[in-house]
Amino acid sequence: MEVNKGFIINIVALIIVLAIGAAAPPLLPPLLAIALAFITKQVLVALFAGVWIGGLMATGWDVFGGTATTLGWIISNVTDSWNATILVFDFIIGALIGVLYVSGSMFSLASELSKKIKSARGASFLSWFLGLAVFFDDYTNAVIVGNASRPLTDRLRVSREFLSYIVDSTAAPVAGLAIVSTWIGYEVSLIDDSFNYLKSLVSEGKIALAPDVGAMYAWLMSVPYRYYSILAIILVLLVVITRRHYGPMLKAEHRAVSEGKVIRDGAQPLMPTETVLGSAKSSAPWWVFVSSVIVLVIVTLLGMWVTGGGDQWWTVSFTEALMNADAATALLWGSFVAYIFAAVAVLATRSMRFTEVMDSTVRGMYLMVLANAILVLAWSIKSATEAVGTAEYVVGLATAAGVPAMIVPAIIFLASCFISFTTGTSWGTFGVMMPIAVPMAWQIALAQGADPYIVTYASIASVFAGGIFGDHCSPISDTTIMSSMFSASDHIDHVNTQLPYALTAAGISAVLFALFASGITTPLALLPVGVVLLIASHRVLNTWYAKKTKLPAIVPNYTSS
């Protein structure tokens, strides 16, 4: 009888996860969810299992109580104001996509772009450029870049896996670095809270000195140390230009070019556009899609100004308002106005009848059912990890030993990477790690005679960079899910193909933090080293994997006639 090696490997992996969970119970819910996601390829089952195990642990392994707790977490996450707004936003975006898709406007745009962009490399570069251009919010980035690029990348045989990688890599990494974004207010507020805590220690006589710089200045000084975000963005461009891939992405890109299959046989796109909506019924003008996206962006930005500026928002500067904006509400307003605009436009151009608009609206909303179900469970597993103390456990391991001051940023980075990957949240990781990272870095540096400002700036960057790592590549991250959703990619395929690239950037970031610990603290020296290492690693991994799979190292640059 033939032995199924894959089955044995999966069983062994599951046993290892359960053994780790037995030794370190707080790690069991997220690790089980991640392991089952890879083993079963069924994200809903995997996430629910992780949440349910967390519920059982929180209730002392009471099956009935644990199940009730699990359902309670799900309900509380659905009814949370922010989460509910995002869910409704997703449904409205689905309706917008339905109208634009069925009207044929998306394909008209792809046809127009194809007149100037006629290669897979050009389509990929356009997606990367759009990702940088939509810098102010990661959710908005995924919505616009995924939907705007997909018809063109499909036509020019760019795999959905590669498109979703581009979308994901220019979402959180870009938004986290942007000085004007929905992220910066939260990030600066966490730094400010930590600085205030240190000042209170001075007033109590526990330390001699507290930072005498503002939180915004500290945020700016931390940017050059955010190696992961910077390297992740550069790596995408490197891959786009060279067409050299490694890992499962190499196979996916060769499949797309040689067979014309932008998704693999048997894949389950998180947003199954073609299956649900069918083929375009008409050919609406390309400007309908472009105008709808512009309306979405303008209204969303205006919404951020209004929600962040208060009752007299027009008297508040846009930058200041953005720091306090309600991004979810702004996105909801933007998507609704864009949908109304698109519906009116296709009716006015007689591209669709009213009944067709309504039918495509409902079908478009249906596109989001699976994606929203995954989002709800992704949020719920965060509730489970909070209940069993996953983050506190990991932080405790990282901070228990007395370590040299210069190595603190490296430890914080690795701890933040692990927490964000296992919980799937960057902001949650920021909230957990920043109140620990800043006081730890500052006090250890003071005690050991190191420069407390340099160590603290690097530690702030470590929290942000490590948190974005998980937001970028964890299968239970909402941004990872939304990248799969709006690129219409199979979610597990997206995670599998993207992970080698994310680990490359994270590994080189860890090397740079190690060099920082050795005394090389100038970002102007460290970042060029990181870029050189990135280029070399990319080439070595591409060559090695191509030989391993017996595929050409360079994916042919497909061009349209």
Side-chain angles (χ1 to χ4, degrees), residues 408-466:
V408 169
I411 293 175
I412 291 171
F413 173 71
L414 295 174
S416 298
C417 283
F418 186 75
I419 293 173
S420 62
F421 187 82
T422 54
T423 61
T425 170
S426 55
W427 284 29
T429 302
F430 298 166
V432 168
M433 288 297 295
M434 195 63 74
I436 296 173
V438 171
M440 181 171 72
W442 183 265
Q443 292 179 81
I444 291 177
L446 276 180
Q448 297 180 8
D451 186 332
Y453 288 98
I454 294 293
V455 176
T456 300
Y457 295 153
S459 297
I460 290 170
S462 298
V463 173
F464 291 145

Side-chain angles (χ1 to χ4, degrees), residues 68-152:
T69 298
T70 298
L71 296 176
W73 284 335
I74 293 173
I75 295 300
S76 64
N77 277 288
V78 170
T79 55
D80 174 83
S81 177
W82 172 278
N83 293 352
T85 304
I86 290 297
L87 293 175
V88 176
F89 157 73
D90 282 344
F91 280 126
I92 296 176
I93 279 290
L96 173 63
I97 292 168
V99 170
L100 294 175
Y101 180 93
V102 175
S103 71
S105 179
M106 294 173 68
F107 298 97
S108 295
L109 174 63
S111 179
E112 282 294 315
L113 291 173
S114 296
K115 294 176 182 178
K116 295 184 178 180
I117 298 176
K118 297 182 178 295
S119 70
R121 180 184 286 117
S124 302
F125 181 81
L126 175 65
S127 302
W128 178 83
F129 179 78
L130 287 175
L132 296 185
V134 187
F135 57 83
F136 53 87
D137 182 73
D138 55 333
Y139 285 3
T140 308
N141 181 299
V143 172
I144 293 174
V145 179
N147 286 306
S149 302
R150 192 172 66 251
L152 180 62

Side-chain angles (χ1 to χ4, degrees), residues 280-365:
K281 295 180 174 59
S282 59
S283 184
W286 62 267
W287 60 260
V288 173
F289 178 86
V290 173
S291 299
S292 299
V293 171
I294 292 174
V295 169
L296 172 65
V297 172
I298 291 175
V299 176
T300 298
L301 290 175
L302 183 60
M304 291 177 183
W305 195 353
V306 172
T307 58
D311 294 336
Q312 294 186 318
W313 57 271
W314 58 90
T315 64
V316 179
S317 69
F318 176 75
T319 302
E320 182 181 348
L322 201 61
M323 293 185 181
N324 302 301
D326 182 346
T329 299
L331 287 167
L332 179 64
W333 292 352
S335 62
F336 181 74
V337 175
Y339 165 74
I340 295 298
F341 176 88
V344 171
V346 296
L347 290 172
T349 57
R350 299 188 177 182
S351 304
M352 299 177 72
R353 297 190 303 272
F354 182 73
T355 54
E356 291 176 326
V357 171
M358 290 298 98
D359 180 65
S360 61
T361 295
V362 174
R363 289 176 180 270
M365 288 183 175

